[in-house]
Amino acid sequence: MAISQHLLQILDRLADGRFHSGTELAESAAISRSAVCKQLQNLDKLDLGYSAISGKGYKLNQPLQLLDENTIRQALNENTRALLQRLEIHPCLASTNTYLQHAGSAHATACFAEYQTAGRGRRGRQWVSPFGRNIYLSLRYHYQSGPAVIAGLSLAVGVAVIRALNSLNISDAGLKWPNDIYWQHKKLGGILIEVGGEAEGPSHAVVGLGLNGFLPQHLSQTIDQPCTDLYSIVGDKAFTLRNRLAAALLNQLTPVLHDFDATALPSFIEEWRQYDCLYGKTVTLYQGKQQHQGILDGIDEHGQLLLCTADGNRQTFASGEISFRPGHEDSA
Ligand code: BTN
């Protein structure tokens, strides 16, 4: 659905989670009271629960912090400010990754959306992208080298996201190979990297991150794997840390994307291993129609997955999807 400027103005007023009268909302958006009522009908479609009580007005059931470019910019460090050429915030896009694929040649562009109508995950999956609660961020970077050199970027991006969470005292998040963000064996976020360009370079990468701030239950039930959100970790704070989180992610991701080359990989691999949340777990690795069961033994120096199978072999995998179900561990 389209998100009008009027609706954004009303949401800005309602963001504090307190009651606001219809008259006040009408004034803030410079529209009639009946137009306010019409706009408020959109809140259900946006999964923003609200209450209406006669004599008191309207209130959102949970506070909301819309992304604000000035607030985010103010929280960027000098290095990130110098490196980032463009920062865009959109109320609604089909997908921030798709948008940045057609974003021209600016060297370093970051784009957030409040809402994605066609958010994309890896392996052709949909990425559930309700309005105003989560982070949908894509960054586009250009490289002189070809796509092969930036393959290891996938691990480095996961490390940068964990660093950003740690910088906000959201600790204990881990990584599931190659770069899913996990917390207590549930998926908190995911990364989709799309690379284009010439085999010998130049090339570009669009790095997309989805991080769940608050997923209403009826939406999390539609996701085919256990997932979690920041609300489950930090409670109500999840509703008011979006701009700080957005800036922390840019502060960590921008230098990593800027400096990344083959020589940077070993230190990221070292750090990635510290966040490996499935080390030693019994899992199934899916590769197309093939399944491999075994015990995870971390990653090698190229970032490939190591799996010890029942026959005592240690196999190396460059791609695949790990399935781990706590309490339902298959025996290798
Ligand atoms: C995954 O499947 O784990 C990857 C999910 C990536 C989702 C993000 S949200 C921002 C960006 N835009 C998209 O359409 N996808 C990525």
Side-chain angles (χ1 to χ4, degrees):
M1 62 168 282
I3 294 162
S4 71
Q5 209 51 39
H6 289 145
L7 182 58
L8 289 173
Q9 284 160 335
I10 291 172
L11 284 174
D12 209 39
R13 201 43 77 98
L14 290 173
D16 58 8
R18 302 209 173 117
F19 275 106
H20 296 271
S21 70
T23 310
E24 184 193 335
L25 297 179
E27 272 167 18
S28 71
I31 53 176
S32 67
R33 284 198 58 175
S34 62
V36 167
C37 291
K38 215 165 166 193
Q39 289 293 341
L40 288 172
Q41 286 165 13
N42 290 320
L43 298 189
D44 285 334
K45 292 184 207 146
L46 291 178
D47 292 299
L48 293 173
Y50 73 101
S51 314
I53 296 188
S54 80
K56 280 183 137 183
Y58 305 90
K59 93 185 252 302
L60 288 177
N61 294 342
Q62 284 111 2
L64 178 73
Q65 189 178 73
L66 294 178
L67 296 175
D68 177 66
E69 187 176 332
N70 285 336
T71 313
I72 295 174
R73 278 192 189 279
Q74 275 165 23
L76 295 181
N77 61 36
E78 256 176 56
N79 190 28
T80 302
R81 276 185 208 163
L83 294 177
L84 202 59
Q85 289 184 342
R86 271 166 55 189
L87 169 60
E88 299 183 16
I89 296 167
H90 297 262
C92 178
L93 287 176
S95 147
T96 52
N97 261 40
T98 309
Y99 175 78
L100 279 195
Q101 299 209 320
H102 310 288
S105 56
H107 185 71
T109 306
C111 163
F112 291 92
E114 293 287 10
Y115 179 54
Q116 296 188 122
T117 54
R120 295 187 287 114
R122 284 189 288 125
R123 299 173 185 273
R125 290 196 182 105
Q126 179 206 4
W127 188 257
V128 174
S129 307
F131 180 87
R133 299 295 187 194
N134 304 329
I135 294 286
Y136 317 118
L137 163 65
S138 296
L139 286 134
R140 180 178 168 119
Y141 250 86
H142 288 242
Y143 296 92
Q144 284 314 312
S145 50
V149 176
I150 49 179
L153 191 63
S154 159
L155 300 174
V157 168
V159 165
V161 174
I162 299 289
R163 287 179 184 171
L165 291 170
N166 287 344
S167 76
L168 297 180
N169 294 323
I170 301 169
S171 42
D172 298 340
L175 292 168
K176 173 185 171 230
W177 185 84
N179 55 20
D180 280 349
I181 317 300
Y182 260 56
W183 190 74
Q184 294 192 350
H185 300 311
K186 291 181 185 161
K187 186 158 169 168
L188 175 65
I191 292 161
L192 173 68
I193 301 185
E194 296 174 299
V195 179
E198 305 300 320
E200 302 302 321
S203 58
H204 68 265
V206 175
V207 173
L209 166 71
L211 204 56
N212 300 328
F214 176 71
L215 272 183
Q217 208 185 355
H218 72 276
L219 289 180
S220 63
Q221 280 167 353
T222 65
I223 300 173
D224 63 356
Q225 54 187 315
C227 56
T228 190
D229 54 19
L230 292 173
Y231 177 71
S232 308
I233 305 173
V234 297
D236 286 347
K237 259 196 260 166
F239 299 124
T240 52
L241 58 59
R242 290 179 78 229
N243 284 305
R244 278 198 300 138
L245 177 57
L249 288 165
L250 292 178
N251 281 335
Q252 295 299 335
L253 282 163
T254 311
V256 165
L257 293 179
H258 184 265
D259 296 335
F260 191 83
D261 62 16
T263 63
L265 190 57
S267 71
F268 283 111
I269 287 188
E270 206 52 43
E271 195 173 342
W272 193 99
R273 288 178 176 139
Q274 294 170 30
Y275 306 136
D276 182 352
C277 63
L278 291 185
Y279 184 85
K281 301 280 184 221
T282 301
V283 302
T284 306
L285 181 79
Y286 292 89
Q287 263 194 328
K289 286 185 180 139
Q290 285 190 323
Q291 288 182 27
H292 308 268
Q293 288 189 339
I295 297 174
L296 286 176
D297 195 21
I299 54 173
D300 69 8
E301 70 276 21
H302 307 291
Q304 301 185 105
L305 187 77
L306 299 169
L307 185 73
C308 297
T309 46
D311 54 14
N313 284 327
R314 194 164 80 150
Q315 291 187 38
T316 307
F317 294 92
S319 65
E321 176 97 347
I322 298 171
S323 168
F324 169 71
R325 295 199 301 150
H328 297 84
E329 294 190 46
D330 307 308
S331 52

